[in-house]
Amino acid sequence: MKKFILIALMFSLCACASTGNDTVSKDFNPADHFLGADYALLQKNPDLKGGLGWRNPAFNPAVYSAMYIEPVVLWHGEDMAKESGLEMEELELLAKYFHDVLTHVPDGKPMKLATQPGPGVISVKAAVTEVEASSPVSNALTSVIPVGILLSAGKQAATGQAVGVGKCAVEIRFVDSVTGENIAMFAETKIGKKYDSAGFSKTGQTEEAMNEWAALLKERIAVVWGQAK
């Protein structure tokens, strides 16, 4: 019986490990992105700690003193629900969670939180574009069973993502809330860490990633508006 369970586990883990490259396309299609064709403008920036970004060359931070956080969008939410390992209700809760953490970014110094669009206000249009739930059972088994550890390491080497860990991607557009002019854009995909306590719940690593994005935005506000003084 023990041998049967081990063999079943190996087949299960191999199935998990084989799905990584099958769903990833290297061809750029604007329709696949919340940012549309503008996604092509994004570039790597060390200040964004792994994220991609773009800023309007004409942007003047001195013009803006507040941010309005629009409701977070689930980009292609129905497809995400089929592929993420989460129900639509769980995805909607994650979108609300991201909105809530973003509302804590403008703390009045130097950026205030606006309750509506208006002059001097930046509208933040954020979308969750991909979610993959953590699998606490797979994560645990491939963290302690030798064959599982090897399979997980093999998947990580091939796809960049270990077995059982979560993934989340977001795209964000910052616009002048009056004119609609693009001010900046950001996108990043975060993959959970293998030996991370957040990976032992289905949405823990996604929430962790959202907290990190909010912290990064807060940090960039302090830098950019500090330079404007």
Side-chain angles (χ1 to χ4, degrees), residues 8 42 94 111-112 146 157 206:
L42 300 178
L94 284 173
M111 187 67 59
K112 297 179 294 186
T206 296

Side-chain angles (χ1 to χ4, degrees), residues 4-229:
F4 175 79
I5 292 173
L6 181 58
I7 292 170
L9 173 62
M10 290 177 65
F11 277 113
S12 173
L13 293 175
C14 287
C16 291
S18 67
T19 59
N21 290 331
D22 297 337
T23 58
V24 177
S25 173
K26 294 181 180 179
D27 298 325
F28 172 69
N29 182 355
D32 292 337
H33 295 279
F34 173 70
L35 295 175
D38 288 339
Y39 188 92
L41 297 173
L42 300 178
Q43 295 183 351
K44 291 183 178 180
N45 184 333
D47 292 335
L48 300 179
K49 301 178 181 179
L52 302 175
W54 172 87
R55 187 194 298 176
N56 189 326
F59 168 62
N60 179 7
V63 174
Y64 301 98
S65 60
M67 279 187 167
Y68 173 64
I69 314 298
E70 297 191 9
V72 172
V73 173
L74 288 173
W75 186 243
H76 298 316
E78 292 184 1
D79 292 336
M80 199 185 302
K82 295 175 184 177
E83 300 169 1
S84 65
L86 298 170
E87 300 294 332
M88 180 59 75
E89 292 79 6
E90 294 174 298
L91 291 170
E92 289 171 348
L93 286 174
L94 284 173
K96 183 180 183 302
Y97 182 88
F98 193 32
H99 177 270
D100 289 346
V101 296
L102 288 175
T103 61
H104 289 90
V105 170
D107 59 4
K109 298 178 294 182
M111 187 67 59
K112 297 179 294 186
L113 178 65
T115 58
Q116 61 185 14
V121 176
I122 296 174
S123 283
V124 181
K125 303 173 181 286
V128 179
T129 59
E130 183 181 6
V131 172
E132 185 174 329
S134 303
S135 174
V137 173
S138 294
N139 196 353
L141 291 174
T142 55
S143 297
V144 297
I145 297 176
V147 66
I149 294 172
L150 289 174
L151 288 170
S152 181
K155 184 193 175 189
Q156 187 164 11
T159 69
Q161 182 177 0
V163 173
V165 304
K167 179 196 291 187
C168 183
V170 295
E171 296 180 21
I172 308 175
R173 187 188 297 273
F174 304 86
V175 305
D176 184 299
S177 68
V178 175
T179 68
E181 181 181 15
N182 278 339
I183 293 172
M185 294 181 291
F186 173 83
E188 188 178 13
T189 299
K190 281 187 179 290
I191 296 174
K193 302 177 182 67
K194 181 64 177 172
Y195 299 99
D196 177 8
S197 60
F200 292 96
S201 70
K202 288 201 299 182
T203 61
Q205 291 184 325
T206 296
E207 293 171 359
E208 186 175 62
M210 291 174 173
N211 291 335
E212 290 175 1
W213 284 316
L216 175 62
L217 178 53
K218 195 180 191 77
E219 177 183 305
R220 296 308 303 157
I221 287 173
V223 171
V224 173
W225 269 261
Q227 292 173 344
K229 292 183 179 180

